[in-house]
Amino acid sequence: ASNVAEMCRLHNIPLVHISTDHVFSGNGFGSNSEDFLYTEDMSPDPLPNNHYGHSKYLGELGVQENSPNKYLILRLSNIYGHNQCVGKPNANIVETFIQKAKVGMDALANCYGTPTFTLSVARQILHLLKNIHSTPSGIYHVAANTSTSWYLFGSLIRHYYWQIYGEVLTVNPLVTDDFKTHRKFSGLDCGKLKKLGLYIMPSVEED
């Protein structure tokens, strides 16, 4: 990221750098509110054993330290799409939910996020590119317009699967206190884009 940022600076090219909610630990800085969302001005605190989160945070620092004339760092959250991730079997969260729920599954009812559809992310990024010269450089969150628990997200998948295919899926709520294994909060607040009038992301239900 540092090298790309340096080349963009030298050639006066705007840079859009993709980052992640994993730059945050998931403990919500001690919050107990299910409505908690990470804002752009909160300090990253990736978990010590989360190498992915650490590397993405270092990437953010590299972009900022080598600061091109125009850069946007976009943090994404809980991405899902139509296709599998390359090299990651069962990485499509919706398909994974469906396959597990066909035989019955438990989904976390007290862990919260902003599941975000890839096509909506692409549209938001395109919208920002069209407005990049009027958008201030900095960090922006790009995520769905609502936060939900993983149980409620699974219930939404169950509802639409029944409507489309007429097949009943079984999703049961599970409450956990194991927040070393599970990140309690991964949702992102997109307040900066909203204030600029550039936020076009739909809600989880709309996607």
Side-chain angles (χ1 to χ4, degrees):
S2 298
N3 292 334
V4 174
E6 175 68 12
M7 292 302 294
C8 288
R9 184 181 64 79
L10 291 174
H11 296 280
N12 196 28
I13 300 172
L15 172 62
V16 176
H17 176 77
I18 303 300
S19 191
T20 174
D21 63 274
H22 280 269
V23 300
F24 297 111
S25 66
N27 67 13
F29 301 109
S31 174
N32 290 315
S33 171
E34 63 184 53
D35 297 321
F36 175 86
L37 294 171
Y38 286 102
T39 63
E40 290 93 342
D41 59 358
M42 291 178 175
S43 298
D45 61 336
L47 289 168
N49 62 345
N50 187 339
H51 301 299
Y52 173 68
H54 271 282
S55 67
K56 296 300 281 185
Y57 178 45
L58 291 175
E60 291 186 5
L61 294 177
V63 170
Q64 292 171 307
E65 290 168 0
N66 293 277
S67 152
N69 295 323
K70 173 70 67 173
Y71 70 91
L72 305 180
I73 296 173
L74 306 181
R75 291 179 182 148
L76 312 183
S77 174
N78 310 131
I79 300 299
Y80 67 93
H82 290 298
N83 300 314
Q84 301 285 358
C85 293
V86 176
K88 292 184 178 181
N90 302 319
N92 183 321
I93 188 172
V94 174
E95 186 61 32
T96 299
F97 262 76
I98 291 171
Q99 294 307 316
K100 289 185 176 181
K102 284 184 176 181
V103 295
M105 69 168 290
D106 297 329
L108 293 168
N110 62 333
C111 290
Y112 309 93
T114 42
T116 306
F117 187 42
T118 50
L119 183 58
S120 295
V121 171
R123 288 171 177 155
Q124 178 69 76
I125 293 175
L126 180 60
H127 186 60
L128 291 174
L129 289 174
K130 291 178 178 178
N131 294 276
I132 195 163
H133 294 294
S134 60
T135 306
S137 292
I139 295 173
Y140 296 90
H141 289 173
V142 174
N145 199 22
T146 51
S147 176
T148 184
S149 71
W150 294 111
Y151 166 67
L152 291 178
F153 184 57
S155 298
L156 194 63
I157 295 170
R158 175 181 61 191
H159 170 73
Y160 285 115
Y161 195 82
W162 179 81
Q163 281 194 333
I164 296 170
Y165 299 105
E167 184 177 347
V168 177
L169 302 178
T170 301
V171 182
N172 303 308
L174 174 67
V175 175
T176 183
D177 58 4
D178 179 11
F179 296 117
K180 292 183 178 180
T181 304
H182 306 288
R183 296 168 71 229
K184 185 172 184 177
F185 299 106
S186 58
L188 299 178
D189 178 275
C190 304
K192 286 179 67 175
L193 287 181
K194 290 179 180 179
K195 287 179 181 178
L196 291 171
L198 293 172
Y199 183 74
I200 60 170
M201 297 292 289
S203 66
V204 174
E205 292 80 8
E206 290 169 327
D207 259 344

